[in-house]
Amino acid sequence: MEKPHDIAIIGAGPAGLIAAEHLATAGHRVRVYDRMASPGRKLLIAGRGGLNLTHSEPLEMFLTRYGTASDWLAPSIYHYPPQALRDWGESLGQATFVGSSGRVFPKSMKAVQLLRAWLKRLEQLGVTYAPRHKWQGWHNGKLRFVTQAGDIYAHADATLLALGGASWPRLGSDGSWTDLLTQEGIAIRKLRPSNCGFITPWSDYFSTRFAGHPLKPVALTHEGITRQGELMITARGVEGGAIYALSSAIRETLENHGKATLQLDMRPSMTTDSLTRKLDAPRGNKSLSNHLQRAVISPLIIALLREAFPDIATATPAALATYLKSLPLTLTATTGIERAISTAGGIERSELTENFMLVKKPGVFAAGEMLDWEAPTGGYLLQACFSTGVMAAQGIERFIAD
Ligand SMILES: Cc1cc2nc3c(=O)[nH]c(=O)nc-3n(C[C@H](O)[C@H](O)[C@H](O)COP(=O)(O)OP(=O)(O)OC[C@H]3O[C@@H](n4cnc5c(N)ncnc54)[C@H](O)[C@@H]3O)c2cc1C
C-alpha cells in the first residue's frame, strides 16, 4: 500500500465493523461513527435469544433464502461464505456449532464475548470509534454529524454507510438515513417490517386468556407455501418463527388485498383420517371441551377452534379433524416495524455498483441491512450483513487504489 487513507465508516453494526476490520488490516486509518454511545447494540440483542450467526445448508439452497435478491447477493456470499464467518468467529475465540435445524451458533450462544473480543481486535488494529455522532448527510463535501458538542464536519477519502434498517429503533438504526439519501436523488425502496408479527382480531376473552401462550408445533400455509414451527399468541395477533418465515409473502398479500388468510394445521404430524379416528371415541355425556382434552387437544386449541367455528359443539369428528388440520386465520396488518426482527426495502440495487458503491456518490459505499434485500431468520440476516460489509470494504480498497 502506498499511503494510508482516511476511511469513515458510519454505523457500528456487523456490516460496518467487519468492513472496518478488513480496511484497518489493509493499513488504512479507519474511524467508525455511530449515533449510539456503544457499538453493536443490535448484535447484542440478537445474541439474547441465541446468536444465530449463519446456516450450514449448501450454498445453492442458502442463496435461495434471499428471494429476488439472491443473484445480487450471491457474489458477496460466495466471496465471504458461511464457513468464512465461522472461521472468523473461531479466530475471536468463539468456536461455532451446528444446531439440529442446521443453524450455526457460537458455542457461548451469546454475542457479548464475541463483540468484546472483536472490539479489542479493532482497537489493536488502530480503528477509532466516535460514539454519539449522528450522521446528517454532507456539507461542502464533508460528512456532517450532530453531536452533543454541536455539529462536526469530517473529511474521508472513502465512506461506508452501514446504518441498518428501521426495526428496534431504540438500538440505533431508525431508518432516518432514507431522507438524507432521497435528498441526494438515490432511490430507496420503502422500509417495511420483515420477520414480524401480525394483527388478527381476537375476542377480548381469547386475547386476555391466551396472550403469551405458544402453539407448537404448528404448520402454517399461505399461498401454497407451508412452514412449520412455533406460533406465539399475542394480545393483538400472532408472532414467532413459523409466521416470520412467511412474513414477506403475507406482507405482500396485505399490501395488495388489505387482509391475508392462512391455514393453521395444529396437528402437523397426523393425517385428517387418523385425527378423525382419535376424535371418534364415544363422547357420552362429556362436554365438548372434556372430550377434546381427552384427545390431548389443549385448552388453547379448543379456544382457537371456538374463535373460528361457532358451531363446533355440534361438529362431527370428521369436521373437527378438518378444522384442526386447516383452521383459517385472518390477518389484517403487520405489527409495527419497531417490533420486527428485520427490515425489507432499502437502497435499490440499481443505485449501486457490484461492490456497493453509490453510482451517484463516487467514494460512498453502503452495506448490510440498509440495502434492498430481506431474508427469513436462520442466520441469513447476519451472513448477508457480514458478506456485503466485506464486499464493500474490498470496493473501497479498489476505489482508493485507482
Ligand atoms: C431481536 C433481534 C434478534 C435478531 N437475531 C438475529 C439472529 O439470531 N441472526 C441473524 O442473522 N440476525 C438476527 N437479527 C438481525 C440482525 O441483528 C441485523 O440484521 C443486523 O444487526 C444488521 O446489521 P447492520 O450492520 O446492517 O445494521 P445494525 O446492526 O442495525 O447497525 C447499524 C448501526 O448504524 C447506526 N446508525 C443508524 N443511523 C445512524 C446515523 N444517522 N448516524 C450514526 N449512526 C447511525 C446504529 O446506531 C447502529 O449501530 C436480529 C435482530 C433483532 C432485532
Side-chain angles (χ1 to χ4, degrees), residues 10-16 33-36 38-43 45-48 50-54 105 133-136 145 162-165 167-168 171-177 180 340-342 367-370 373 377-383 385:
I10 314 177
Y33 299 85
D34 201 289
R35 59 182 290 229
M36 303 301 282
S38 58
R41 297 287 297 273
K42 194 175 273 184
L43 183 66
I45 288 288
R48 226 170 41 179
L51 183 69
N52 183 192
L53 261 187
T54 185
F105 303 88
H133 279 57
K134 181 161 186 180
W135 179 60
Q136 288 287 23
F145 295 96
L163 301 161
S167 73
W168 287 58
L171 302 177
S173 34
D174 62 355
S176 57
W177 54 264
L180 302 174
I341 300 283
S342 59
E369 211 180 299
M370 68 186 295
W373 56 268
T377 56
Y380 308 104
L381 300 166
L382 283 174
Q383 179 69 52
C385 292

Side-chain angles (χ1 to χ4, degrees), residues 128-178:
T128 57
Y129 180 56
R132 295 197 177 96
H133 279 57
K134 181 161 186 180
W135 179 60
Q136 288 287 23
W138 292 271
H139 182 73
N140 291 337
K142 289 191 166 178
L143 295 162
R144 178 176 163 232
F145 295 96
V146 174
T147 73
Q148 281 166 339
D151 284 8
I152 281 178
Y153 301 92
H155 159 81
D157 295 310
T159 300
L160 174 65
L161 303 176
L163 301 161
S167 73
W168 287 58
R170 69 191 167 84
L171 302 177
S173 34
D174 62 355
S176 57
W177 54 264
T178 52

Side-chain angles (χ1 to χ4, degrees), residues 202 205-216 218 230-234 237-238 264 266-267 289 292-293 296-308 312 324 327 329:
W202 301 132
Y205 162 75
F206 184 84
S207 148
T208 311
R209 168 82 176 75
F210 293 105
H213 288 238
L215 263 176
K216 60 181 175 182
V218 293
E230 177 179 297
L231 189 71
M232 179 64 80
I233 306 297
T234 64
V238 286
L264 179 54
M266 292 175 284
R267 281 288 178 274
S289 291
L292 289 174
Q293 281 181 35
V296 208
I297 309 291
S298 68
L300 165 56
I301 294 181
I302 297 169
L304 255 181
L305 289 174
R306 287 194 198 280
E307 291 276 299
I312 64 159
L324 283 163
L327 182 132
L329 188 63

Side-chain angles (χ1 to χ4, degrees), residues 348-399:
E348 292 185 13
R349 64 199 280 182
S350 58
E351 296 288 349
L352 295 150
T353 64
E354 74 228 356
N355 41 31
F356 306 122
M357 185 171 81
L358 290 170
V359 178
K360 292 175 187 142
K361 299 270 316 167
V364 179
F365 292 71
E369 211 180 299
M370 68 186 295
L371 306 182
D372 180 18
W373 56 268
E374 65 177 312
T377 56
Y380 308 104
L381 300 166
L382 283 174
Q383 179 69 52
C385 292
F386 276 92
S387 297
T388 55
V390 171
M391 185 62 115
Q394 206 175 63
I396 288 178
E397 282 208 78
R398 286 209 193 118
F399 173 79

